[in-house]
Amino acid sequence: MMDGVDDSPDLLAEDQETRQGRSDTVDLTDTSLMVDISDSLSERDKVKFTVHTKTSLPQFKKPEMSVVRQHEEFIWLHDRFVENEDYAGIVIPPAPPRPDFDASREKLQRLGEGEGTMTKEEFMKMKQELEAEYLATFKKTVAMHEVFLQRLAAHPVLRQDVNFEVFLEYEGDLSVRGKNKKEKLGGFFSRLTKSVDESLLSGQKDVDDFFENEKQFLIEYHAKIKDATMKADKMTKVHKNVADSYIQISTGFVLLATIENTELDKIFTRVAELLEKARKLEGRVASDEDLKLSDTLRYYMRDSAAAKDLLYRRTRSLADYEAANKALEKARTKNKDVPQAEKAQETCCKKFEKISDVAKKEIAEFKTRRIAYFKKHMVEMVELELKHAKAQAQLLKNCISSLQEES
Amino acid sequence: MADGLEPPPFEEEQEQKEEDDLFSDAKEKPSSPDTDASTASNPESNADGGEVEKKDDDEEEEKKDLFDDGGGSEIKLDSDEEEESPTSDDAHRRSGSGDYANPFDSASTTAAVAPAATAAASASKEDVTPQISVSQTSTSSASKVSGTSKDSREELENGEDENQYEIKITVTEPQKMGDGMGAYMVYRVVTKTTNPVFRKSEMSVPRRFSDFLGLHSKLAERHPSQGIIVPPAPEKSVLGMTKIKMSKEESGSADFVERRRATLERFLNRTATHPVLLADQDFKEFLEKDSDLPRATSTSALSGAGVMRLFHKVGDTFEKIAFKMDENDEWFEEKQQQIEALDQQLHKLHGSMEALVAHRRELSQATAVFAKSAAMLGNVEEHTTLSRALSQLAETEEKIEAVQKQQADTDFYVLAELLKDYIQLISSVKEVFHERVKSYRNWKEAETMLGKKREAKAKYEVLNKADKAAQVKQEITEWEGRVEKGQEEFEKLSKVIRREVSRFEAYRVEDFKNSIVKYLQNLMENQQKLIKYWEAFLPEAKAIA
């Protein structure tokens, strides 16, 4: 298993970029609270992240600290934000996905089983490829966790949260046990009711045009981007398969060259070399596609889900507000418990208005963020694609001319 | 064919390595190839000789024929030696050929049969054909620049051997005839040739698949026993044909039809590269006869002839196991091992290639699916420039998908099918080896019989049975004759086979080289297309505001 984020030189170069890229959606000009994941350790079943904080904010006990956190603790933090009504009008940064190395592990296992059927070089190459894949997955999960924290740290309201402070500071375990059966069931039901609510409420037309439009947009957008993410993932996965299959072909040519008794042996050797280099480039194309395209889509799939959630919360509070209005009317007609009803109605009204205000700003920011993020990553992807295609074309050109000269 | 040969080309007759052109002068001397290589490294001397023949495997074959009769055994030996120590020789020749611009390409420019085969193979993919002609013309001009002597060599050759003539066969216009289970495909076989042996220089005839099989079976009956390697028959595919028979529309199994068409084309062109096969009456008739050929019913798997074929195959297999030939010819032993090893590796590589084709096809499908999804996302996106960019991305991905699909086709038709063809060709080569074993066995059996007869005679003489002894004496003479004939045939067959195998090797080298270069060129062009598409998209992405 890999320790820390050290790796082969190739990927290191990307590392610099991704370090930057991770935080590109977050405004880092405000340095009063800076969070990053300085180290990470992959152990059999879990990943341990070292969360490092530098701050000038008064509420923190020390100006710099480091704690070790696991994935469950991130989820715990996310849940605390979601359930806090004060933040109902805010787009809560989506929780990072669970680290999933199953696919990589499975592939490594299958490779091990098939070791007998291939040459040593072939096996080494495929193993290297798989290890690189594993490493890439690892880095991605670190990035996802980091971005989550950084967005929290950059948000003027969310960063003040006490749970966040605890998360960053408290050196012990947060004792976030896995949800027991009861809680899981409870969670299941609340999700169920939420989605039922959602569909009921989405039918309800909003008085405010802005929110009505946004709601319509987000529902459709989320659906489409979810689909696109899935398809992009499939595409990059298959692309990787194409690159990997070059390995067998390259080996085949090497073997042919060894038994060859004509001048074809030189040609075969050249072709084998070419394919080996081309494979690396193809592999890069696939992984860049994954990083810049699939991951962008995936991130905004989550973010748009978070925005949708925000609208849902607002609609919910609107429903509450309207219910409170009705209750007030009723109380007034019956002339009973009017002050309570008035107070309740006032609370609901304030809450609703606050959410609406904040939501408007948040949605606008969400849009700006999205546009900037897409632009940056699309441009980067195209530039990388061009770089790799040019490299391959050059490689092929050289090989062809050397083959044609040689005779 | 061999009649018109004059001494100069006679001397030049050589092995089928590409570079042999340069060294043919040197090789004529019975000295070792190594020293020859050094003298031959001077292209000028070759050119001056005006005798370096242009690369033509078949032509050399012809000349070898003569040699067999006329004591060309010396040269034969040389070539054999060369065969045995190819790598060192190759190295020498290669160093020599460095001076000479693209002798390999000279081979491709000479419009002789070998390139025709590859050109025909390329014709299967329309887009690719023009590229090949381009490369050929470019190299031809290069070779013209480097050696006008080459042209003079060509002219010298022209009068001599029909294999100097071009012949290019294309199989086109697959059409479904008939309906239901009786349906079949008809192809148009178009032959273009400068060879005067044919009635016309351009012929176009309709042929159905069973005609091809019929032709092959006739060739296979006649020639392997003489040591000639016959290109394998195009495969029957019950599944593929049934799909076609049952489907209503034309486009039903376009892939299958295209694959078959390409295989048939390669089969005809390969057969045409062989001088002996080209001269075969049935082959000529196949290409020439305007009307339909008589139905070759015996090609059907279930026919009487089909069953007989099966019998013979089984019998042959037993024979191969039962009779172990005492191989005292090093060349043959080595060759057989090489062929076995080659067979194995080709199988493996072919498998890997097919895996690549499958993955690429999968990729192109996944890309197409993604493109659609991206387009939909673009439609939904509310921000105008981002929406436009996403739609453009979708379009770009669609174009890329087309490139990937084309790439998969090239992977398949240029490399995978090439490997498959050679795996089958190797089985034809093995068959020819087997014929030699059979011939050896006949000879040895005759020897054994002769020995028995001699013993019998001696026994009768001892027992004083004069009349029986006399009878046996007659038989002895008969068997002595048979033994002699058996040995003669065996040796002749061995010679033919050596030549055939060398020819096959040279052909294989050329074929592979051409195909690999073609494949790489296609890969490169596709990368350039990708560059074009991404460059077109980049400003769109940058325009997001």
Side-chain angles (χ1 to χ4, degrees):
Chain A
M1 294 299 186
M2 267 137 273
D3 279 4
V5 208
D6 53 348
D7 49 29
S8 59
D10 250 2
L11 294 167
L12 258 182
E14 274 180 63
D15 196 342
Q16 295 305 76
E17 196 196 81
T18 46
R19 277 203 158 268
Q20 219 183 336
R22 287 181 210 161
S23 346
D24 57 4
T25 53
V26 180
D27 180 15
L28 290 178
T29 53
D30 175 4
T31 57
S32 57
L33 179 63
M34 307 229 304
V35 184
D36 68 286
I37 294 184
S38 57
D39 199 5
S40 36
L41 190 64
S42 170
E43 273 174 15
R44 179 157 314 144
D45 251 350
K46 47 197 174 196
V47 183
K48 294 203 168 124
F49 303 97
T50 304
V51 179
H52 168 250
T53 313
K54 249 183 160 158
T55 179
S56 53
L57 292 180
Q59 70 259 38
F60 288 92
K61 298 191 185 75
K62 291 185 277 188
E64 191 166 347
M65 54 211 133
S66 272
V67 291
V68 177
R69 293 281 173 250
Q70 287 184 39
H71 175 73
E72 288 75 22
E73 292 166 299
F74 285 76
I75 301 300
W76 169 86
L77 181 63
H78 177 258
D79 287 346
R80 302 286 78 70
F81 279 111
V82 167
E83 67 190 20
N84 190 330
E85 290 202 353
D86 284 346
Y87 307 137
I90 301 177
V91 176
I92 311 288
R98 200 179 70 84
D100 182 12
F101 299 108
D102 289 343
S104 281
R105 269 201 214 110
E106 216 184 280
K107 271 195 191 176
L108 261 170
Q109 197 177 24
R110 259 188 285 141
L111 178 66
E113 284 165 11
E115 186 175 353
T117 63
M118 50 186 99
T119 68
K120 191 140 189 291
E121 289 83 21
E122 205 175 327
F123 178 72
M124 288 313 298
K125 277 189 208 155
M126 296 203 69
K127 186 150 169 274
Q128 271 175 7
E129 266 313 305
L130 283 181
E131 285 175 350
E133 239 179 74
Y134 190 99
L135 187 64
T137 314
F138 185 71
K139 286 171 93 170
K140 261 205 241 175
T141 192
V142 170
M144 294 278 107
H145 285 75
E146 196 181 68
V147 169
F148 171 66
L149 294 179
Q150 286 174 338
R151 267 183 74 179
L152 289 172
H155 196 286
V157 176
L158 298 178
R159 64 170 20 190
Q160 310 289 354
D161 186 87
V162 80
N163 290 311
F164 191 39
E165 193 189 313
V166 167
F167 180 93
L168 294 176
E169 245 182 3
Y170 183 62
E171 280 171 20
D173 234 350
L174 289 177
S175 294
V176 175
R177 47 181 172 62
K179 295 182 178 156
N180 63 25
K181 250 198 204 136
K182 193 159 151 214
E183 281 170 339
K184 280 207 181 122
L185 206 58
F188 171 70
F189 272 127
S190 71
R191 274 199 297 279
L192 195 59
T193 47
K194 180 177 164 197
S195 49
V196 168
D197 275 336
E198 262 185 348
S199 48
L200 282 177
L201 293 175
S202 58
Q204 199 176 29
K205 191 158 174 15
D206 201 314
V207 261
D208 190 330
D209 267 348
F210 172 78
F211 283 107
E212 180 57 30
N213 288 338
E214 279 309 315
K215 185 176 70 180
Q216 294 304 337
F217 166 69
L218 277 172
I219 289 174
E220 238 204 303
Y221 185 78
H222 177 76
K224 292 291 181 302
I225 200 172
K226 190 165 168 194
D227 187 58
T229 308
M230 218 172 58
K231 311 257 161 86
D233 271 343
K234 175 101 197 281
M235 182 174 77
T236 50
K237 190 172 119 182
V238 178
H239 205 145
K240 186 87 205 326
N241 285 345
V242 170
D244 285 345
S245 54
Y246 278 173
I247 296 181
Q248 274 94 355
I249 298 177
S250 174
T251 312
F253 273 110
V254 166
L255 288 174
L256 261 181
T258 49
I259 60 156
E260 190 59 49
N261 56 324
T262 67
E263 76 255 31
L264 280 182
D265 66 349
K266 252 203 187 166
I267 295 183
F268 287 152
T269 316
R270 288 267 169 88
V271 173
E273 279 169 15
L274 164 82
L275 283 178
E276 182 51 30
K277 293 191 188 131
R279 153 183 94 87
K280 296 222 168 89
L281 286 171
E282 273 303 311
R284 273 303 181 78
V285 171
S287 65
D288 284 339
E289 224 170 43
D290 188 32
L291 273 173
K292 303 294 173 190
L293 184 61
S294 306
D295 277 357
T296 303
L297 292 170
R298 198 191 330 277
Y299 192 71
Y300 272 91
M301 174 181 82
R302 293 205 197 100
D303 220 13
S304 58
K308 242 180 27 164
D309 281 350
L310 160 62
L311 288 186
Y312 162 73
R313 289 196 294 271
R314 178 181 166 276
T315 317
R316 182 87 282 170
S317 114
L318 175 61
D320 287 346
Y321 178 34
E322 285 176 352
N325 270 341
K326 286 207 178 97
L328 180 59
E329 262 182 51
K330 216 166 160 198
R332 283 202 176 129
T333 50
K334 283 193 183 160
N335 210 354
K336 204 163 123 183
D337 293 327
V338 173
Q340 293 105 303
E342 274 180 352
K343 200 153 165 257
Q345 191 259 25
E346 214 183 298
T347 323
C348 281
C349 177
K350 277 212 178 85
K351 189 171 148 202
F352 172 69
E353 279 172 1
K354 179 176 166 209
I355 289 182
S356 298
D357 275 340
V358 176
K360 259 198 181 125
K361 231 176 28 152
E362 288 276 313
I363 298 278
E365 259 175 40
F366 167 74
K367 186 167 167 180
T368 324
R369 251 202 335 263
R370 179 173 88 245
I371 295 168
Y373 195 92
F374 266 83
K375 175 175 181 177
K376 179 169 193 284
H377 285 86
M378 273 167 92
V379 169
E380 279 173 3
M381 178 183 83
V382 177
E383 285 173 347
L384 282 167
E385 294 268 3
L386 275 172
K387 183 172 133 195
H388 298 320
K390 283 184 179 154
Q392 259 203 64
Q394 187 61 38
L395 189 68
L396 286 161
K397 194 155 157 230
N398 291 345
C399 187
I400 293 172
S401 53
S402 84
L403 284 180
Q404 281 175 332
E405 268 169 37
E406 150 139 359
S407 227
Chain B
M1 277 197 286
D3 300 321
L5 280 178
E6 298 157 29
F10 198 83
E11 290 169 26
E12 296 160 9
E13 190 288 334
Q14 275 319 325
E15 277 322 308
Q16 287 62 230
K17 308 272 182 353
E18 318 282 352
E19 302 86 344
D20 291 359
D21 270 335
L22 308 180
F23 308 101
S24 42
D25 276 344
K27 283 185 202 159
E28 294 157 18
K29 307 165 195 139
S31 46
S32 79
D34 292 309
T35 52
D36 294 346
S38 43
T39 36
S41 64
N42 199 344
E44 281 75 49
S45 62
N46 290 336
D48 294 348
E51 299 173 342
V52 184
E53 47 182 62
K54 73 178 196 193
K55 195 77 238 96
D56 194 324
D57 308 344
D58 309 319
E59 184 186 358
E60 292 162 356
E61 291 312 315
E62 293 317 297
K63 294 170 186 163
K64 272 216 179 126
D65 262 334
L66 286 195
F67 295 161
D68 291 348
D69 306 341
S73 44
E74 264 190 328
I75 297 183
K76 250 300 161 55
L77 280 177
D78 283 352
S79 17
D80 291 350
E81 281 170 44
E82 284 156 10
E83 295 269 41
E84 269 139 39
S85 54
T87 33
S88 54
D89 289 351
D90 283 354
H92 284 289
R93 292 189 201 109
R94 262 190 285 272
S95 54
S97 65
D99 305 14
Y100 211 88
N102 303 339
F104 150 58
D105 298 326
S106 75
S108 55
T109 51
T110 63
V113 239
T118 45
S122 70
S124 62
K125 223 44 240 79
E126 299 310 320
D127 328 337
V128 180
T129 320
Q131 296 156 7
I132 282 302
S133 14
V134 166
S135 68
Q136 281 186 339
T137 36
S138 60
T139 51
S140 66
S141 48
S143 55
K144 280 199 178 100
V145 165
S146 61
T148 43
S149 55
K150 266 200 218 167
D151 298 340
S152 64
R153 278 182 299 141
E154 283 184 39
E155 267 134 46
L156 237 171
E157 261 56 286
N158 265 344
E160 284 144 54
D161 198 339
E162 67 179 287
N163 292 306
Q164 301 312 107
Y165 296 114
E166 292 190 33
I167 176 164
K168 182 170 165 188
I169 308 175
T170 47
V171 175
T172 58
E173 293 174 28
Q175 269 179 356
K176 181 175 166 187
M177 313 280 276
D179 267 321
M181 283 314 288
Y184 59 94
M185 297 297 293
V186 166
Y187 305 86
R188 186 141 284 278
V189 176
V190 179
T191 313
K192 293 198 175 107
T193 179
T194 51
N195 194 322
V197 142
F198 290 95
R199 276 188 285 119
K200 295 185 270 183
S201 61
E202 255 194 63
M203 302 163 275
S204 170
V205 294
R207 292 286 175 259
R208 50 186 293 184
F209 185 67
S210 53
D211 294 335
F212 287 83
L213 291 184
L215 170 67
H216 175 264
S217 77
K218 287 187 196 136
L219 294 176
E221 265 170 39
R222 208 170 289 152
H223 298 281
S225 51
Q226 306 303 313
I228 307 282
I229 301 172
V230 175
E235 277 178 343
K236 290 192 85 110
S237 164
V238 179
L239 184 61
M241 266 325 279
T242 314
K243 272 187 5 201
I244 291 196
K245 289 180 192 197
M246 302 325 287
S247 77
K248 298 287 174 196
E249 355 75 58
E250 286 291 319
S251 65
S253 341
D255 264 351
F256 169 77
V257 173
E258 171 55 28
R259 188 178 175 183
R260 172 161 282 191
R261 187 207 63 80
T263 316
L264 294 174
E265 203 173 80
R266 288 195 305 271
F267 165 66
L268 288 180
N269 279 292
R270 284 219 175 88
T271 312
T273 72
H274 199 301
V276 173
L277 297 179
L278 182 62
D280 185 294
Q281 271 307 114
D282 283 312
F283 186 57
K284 283 225 218 78
E285 189 186 57
F286 182 92
L287 294 178
E288 274 185 329
K289 186 160 175 199
D290 268 327
S291 55
D292 286 346
L293 292 179
R295 271 298 300 280
T297 47
S298 59
T299 58
S300 147
L302 297 175
S303 69
V307 175
M308 284 312 290
R309 267 199 301 276
L310 204 57
F311 257 151
H312 283 138
K313 247 198 182 149
V314 172
D316 264 356
T317 321
F318 276 132
E319 263 178 23
K320 284 179 190 165
I321 303 172
F323 182 74
K324 211 56 189 98
M325 171 169 164
D326 201 7
E327 186 62 78
N328 35 25
D329 189 333
E330 234 181 69
W331 187 93
F332 273 95
E333 192 168 328
E334 198 182 311
K335 268 301 160 217
Q336 284 184 308
Q337 281 172 356
Q338 281 172 356
I339 295 280
E340 270 307 317
L342 185 62
D343 198 14
Q344 235 186 2
Q345 289 311 324
L346 285 182
H347 266 103
K348 185 157 184 270
L349 188 60
H350 180 247
S352 312
M353 208 61 214
E354 294 213 303
L356 174 65
V357 173
H359 281 136
R360 248 201 248 275
R361 292 219 162 114
E362 216 189 322
L363 176 61
S364 98
Q365 280 170 356
T367 308
V369 163
F370 170 71
K372 289 202 181 76
S373 183
M376 292 213 301
L377 184 64
N379 285 340
V380 171
E381 173 59 60
E382 56 181 2
H383 186 78
T384 10
T385 48
L386 180 54
S387 163
R388 241 238 328 262
L390 284 169
S391 307
Q392 291 288 14
L393 176 66
E395 268 180 41
T396 309
E397 292 284 352
E398 267 175 18
K399 291 191 196 136
I400 291 181
E401 181 250 330
V403 169
Q404 287 165 344
K405 185 151 184 297
Q406 199 269 355
Q407 184 60 60
D409 282 342
T410 310
D411 288 342
F412 183 71
Y413 286 108
V414 175
L415 278 193
E417 290 283 78
L418 172 80
L419 293 169
K420 180 114 179 283
D421 280 354
Y422 271 88
I423 290 173
Q424 290 179 323
L425 266 170
I426 283 182
S427 65
S428 295
V429 173
K430 284 190 189 170
E431 202 185 305
V432 153
F433 276 134
H434 179 63
E435 290 289 331
R436 176 173 170 269
V437 170
K438 279 199 323 210
S439 160
Y440 183 81
R441 198 186 61 190
N442 285 340
W443 172 28
K444 289 301 168 189
E445 277 175 0
E447 267 185 7
T448 317
M449 192 50 99
L450 177 63
K452 282 197 187 137
K453 295 291 175 189
R454 283 192 174 140
E455 270 175 34
K457 173 166 167 266
K459 209 170 60 179
Y460 288 141
E461 279 171 352
V462 163
L463 295 177
N464 260 327
K465 293 199 175 150
D467 52 338
K468 283 231 168 112
Q471 183 189 26
V472 173
K473 191 155 171 226
Q474 222 184 10
E475 286 175 11
I476 286 181
T477 330
E478 195 190 305
W479 279 101
E480 276 175 349
R482 284 207 203 169
V483 167
E484 208 181 296
K485 186 152 176 274
Q487 181 174 20
E488 228 176 74
E489 275 184 6
F490 173 73
E491 284 176 353
K492 175 165 171 236
L493 191 61
S494 297
K495 280 197 180 123
V496 170
I497 292 181
R498 273 183 212 247
R499 190 188 69 205
E500 279 288 293
V501 169
S502 307
R503 201 185 143 271
F504 169 75
E505 296 271 82
Y507 183 74
R508 176 170 73 90
V509 167
E510 173 112 19
D511 217 354
F512 269 78
K513 223 187 226 180
N514 284 342
S515 299
I516 286 178
V517 170
K518 187 160 128 193
Y519 178 72
L520 294 182
Q521 276 172 337
N522 186 272
L523 271 183
M524 183 176 79
E525 274 147 22
N526 283 337
Q527 289 301 319
Q528 284 166 341
K529 277 191 201 153
L530 288 183
I531 292 173
K532 204 172 74 180
Y533 298 149
W534 285 120
E535 281 181 343
F537 175 67
L538 188 57
E540 288 292 342
K542 288 192 167 155
I544 301 173

